[in-house]
Amino acid sequence: MQVSKGARNYANATILRYMAEGAVAYAKELGCAHPEIVLHLDHGDSFELCKDCIDMGFSSVMIDGSHLPYEENVALAKKVVEYAHQFDVTVEAELGVLAGVEDEVSAAESHYTKPEEVIDFATRTGCDSLAISIGTSHGAHKFTPAQCTLVNGVLVPPPLAFDILHEIEKKLPGFPIVLHGSSSVPMDEVNTINQFGGKLEAAIGIPEEQLREASKSAVCKINIDSDSRLAMTAAIRKHLAEHPGDFDPRQYLKPARENMKKMYRF
């Protein structure tokens, strides 16, 4: 279970904590003796936020100092790691900047991770995993049409910088790598949203074959939050258009959840 700063503010930190504990209890009721459920902070932007999550029982946190100068990023990540490791909490840090907007995270342009910095960064911070920038970006509009190539009427985005990923793997063999902003932005969901009153123009994601290629490397976590938002929104819009008399949230949230589950399985 991954929670952002914005999600904590929206849903209440205490409620989220007990929702996670409830998920563990429910998994045990279903017969899972040792549920492998984690509660992770996504894009923590300060030591205080990470500390608060650690103190509330999160199993892992991300400290995102990628917007800071290099030495300040190192110092912030190191401070979070030193506190977190006292409680066996793992820490994800970020090196390189992703463009785009998602929740409270935004950047006008991306900056690829520099492979020559990763050994120094990982060694000095002691982080457990490293989020890198190789061409992914936040949100459902990852590329402009001008950045893409038109192939058989379909906009194809530029490829991810696998050369940078492979160079990082050589420098940090076996080290867990994370890709943020990796939603594929399924066109069937986009089309459904637009068909039933939405207006998502030029929504472009990361091609699925590139994500499959990345998964064969040291990449151990791929974030696809925008895809789940698209799946939920598409199902809700479709249900309400086809059942205009429904007003009970349970009536339209059930197919929305099922559509999200279908997307995750795929």
Side-chain angles (χ1 to χ4, degrees):
M1 300 173 65
Q2 186 160 277
V3 179
S4 66
K5 175 183 177 181
R8 289 184 84 233
N9 292 337
Y10 173 81
N12 182 277
T14 302
I15 290 175
L16 286 172
R17 172 187 179 182
Y18 287 104
M19 283 176 62
E21 292 185 7
V24 173
Y26 182 49
K28 290 181 178 179
E29 289 180 7
L30 294 176
C32 182
H34 303 286
E36 295 183 344
I37 298 175
V38 304
L39 183 58
H40 176 71
L41 171 67
D42 186 38
H43 287 292
D45 59 359
S46 69
F47 171 77
E48 290 74 21
L49 174 59
C50 290
K51 180 180 182 299
D52 189 43
C53 289
I54 293 165
D55 293 345
M56 291 196 75
F58 277 55
S59 50
S60 58
V61 297
M62 176 195 185
I63 178 63
D64 182 0
S66 60
H67 58 287
L68 299 171
Y70 180 79
E71 288 298 331
E72 292 182 28
N73 189 4
V74 169
L76 178 59
K78 184 175 186 293
K79 184 177 181 180
V80 172
V81 168
E82 289 177 344
Y83 185 78
H85 283 184
Q86 298 178 71
F87 306 96
D88 294 325
V89 173
T90 56
V91 179
E92 173 190 340
E94 182 164 347
L95 190 59
V97 180
L98 272 67
V101 178
E102 185 173 9
D103 212 22
E104 297 182 8
V105 180
S106 65
E109 59 184 37
S110 65
H111 299 282
Y112 285 171
T113 302
K114 299 176 181 178
E116 62 269 21
E117 293 179 343
V118 297
I119 295 178
D120 178 74
F121 186 86
T123 301
R124 291 171 60 191
T125 64
C127 64
D128 302 288
S129 62
L130 183 64
I132 63 172
S133 174
I134 59 170
T136 59
S137 62
H138 292 294
H141 300 83
K142 301 182 184 301
F143 308 95
T144 65
Q147 293 175 297
C148 302
T149 303
L150 192 63
V151 179
N152 297 324
V154 178
L155 290 173
V156 179
L160 299 179
F162 283 103
D163 56 330
I164 293 177
L165 172 58
H166 296 324
E167 187 63 27
I168 291 172
E169 286 184 293
K170 291 178 183 177
K171 293 182 179 297
L172 293 174
F175 197 84
I177 300 298
V178 178
L179 291 184
H180 286 258
S182 299
S183 291
S184 62
V185 186
M187 289 313 299
D188 56 339
E189 306 295 2
V190 172
N191 292 336
T192 298
I193 290 172
N194 291 338
Q195 178 184 350
F196 294 104
K199 193 175 182 181
L200 280 175
E201 299 177 344
I204 303 171
I206 307 299
E208 292 171 3
E209 62 270 17
Q210 293 193 40
L211 297 178
R212 293 189 184 97
E213 181 65 26
S215 70
K216 299 175 184 177
S217 67
V219 173
C220 63
K221 180 161 76 80
I222 297 176
N223 285 18
I224 56 168
D225 182 48
S226 291
D227 282 353
S228 61
R229 296 182 185 191
L230 291 168
M232 171 166 269
T233 300
I236 290 174
R237 282 189 174 276
K238 183 175 186 293
H239 181 92
L240 291 178
E242 295 176 346
H243 305 86
D246 285 357
F247 63 92
D248 186 336
R250 291 172 295 184
Q251 293 171 312
Y252 53 81
L253 288 179
K254 182 177 180 180
R257 286 196 303 271
E258 290 302 316
N259 203 37
M260 290 174 70
K261 287 160 62 176
K262 176 184 174 183
M263 186 273 297
Y264 289 137
R265 293 191 186 102
F266 177 77

